[in-house]
Amino acid sequence: PSFVQESSITPARLSIEQFTLLERYASDAVQILGIQVGAIHSEWRMSETGPKLIEIAARLPAGGIVETYRRVFGVDPISCLAAALREDPVPKVDFFAASRLFHHRVCCSSAVGLRINSIAAPQRLPNPVIELSVEAKVGDRISNDPSEPTVLYQYLTHLEPDQDVEALKRYVNSLVEVETVDLSGTRRR
């Protein structure tokens, strides 16, 4: 079944086994496509029966992912691509050694939008949240083309191995209160 992306978390909360399986699938796909040098962007959905390919392309990622990698892993994908094209060594990213988590919430449906009702003052942020940036102001109604998700807000926090990511998401969502609206601006749910 199809699904709607509501948010993005980096690094993905995958087990080593899931990551290894995805890495193998992506590598196989790249070989089948005949890509030898360059950037690869792939998107997968983990299902009960294993990974399902959404997209794979010979390009850098978009939608803020390059900046997210810089912040979370300390690696610049653009510099990595330049190094690969020069045939210089490219740093290997240890996705399990990240000490920070980056999350952004998106509105990803052309049928609905989101209205920002309130935004907590930055001084109210507790310790786990390093940075919270809101891409809208109170009263803004955000809708978008499903092919280009709109970032509503994003935050950066230290990532602890036993951190309850869902609780952290609920907490940050409480700082930025939104409601779902239909295209005419009336309340939907």
Side-chain angles (χ1 to χ4, degrees), residues 126-139:
N127 222 0
V129 179
I130 299 169
E131 174 187 323
L132 171 67
S133 60
V134 181
E135 308 295 322
K137 61 184 183 300
V138 173

Side-chain angles (χ1 to χ4, degrees), residues 16-36:
I16 291 175
E17 293 78 18
Q18 289 173 316
F19 181 83
T20 302
L21 185 62
L22 282 171
E23 192 174 42
R24 192 181 85 226
Y25 277 38
S27 177
D28 290 349
V30 167
Q31 287 182 350
I32 289 168
L33 292 172
I35 301 168
Q36 296 179 10

Side-chain angles (χ1 to χ4, degrees), residues 13 98 101 158-168:
R13 304 297 278 206
L101 175 144
H158 284 294
L159 175 63
E160 301 297 335
D162 60 347
Q163 187 170 1
D164 184 344
V165 175
E166 290 305 314
L168 184 61

Side-chain angles (χ1 to χ4, degrees), residues 109-145:
S109 171
S110 59
V112 298
L114 293 176
R115 179 182 291 120
I116 306 291
N117 290 331
S118 67
I119 301 168
Q123 60 269 24
R124 287 180 46 202
L125 296 178
N127 222 0
V129 179
I130 299 169
E131 174 187 323
L132 171 67
S133 60
V134 181
E135 308 295 322
K137 61 184 183 300
V138 173
D140 278 358
R141 188 174 151 279
I142 299 170
S143 62
N144 63 310
D145 179 333

Side-chain angles (χ1 to χ4, degrees), residues 71 75 79 81 109 124 149 152 157 171:
R71 291 175 174 211
V75 172
S79 297
L81 174 58
S109 171
R124 287 180 46 202
L152 295 180
T157 180
Y171 169 72

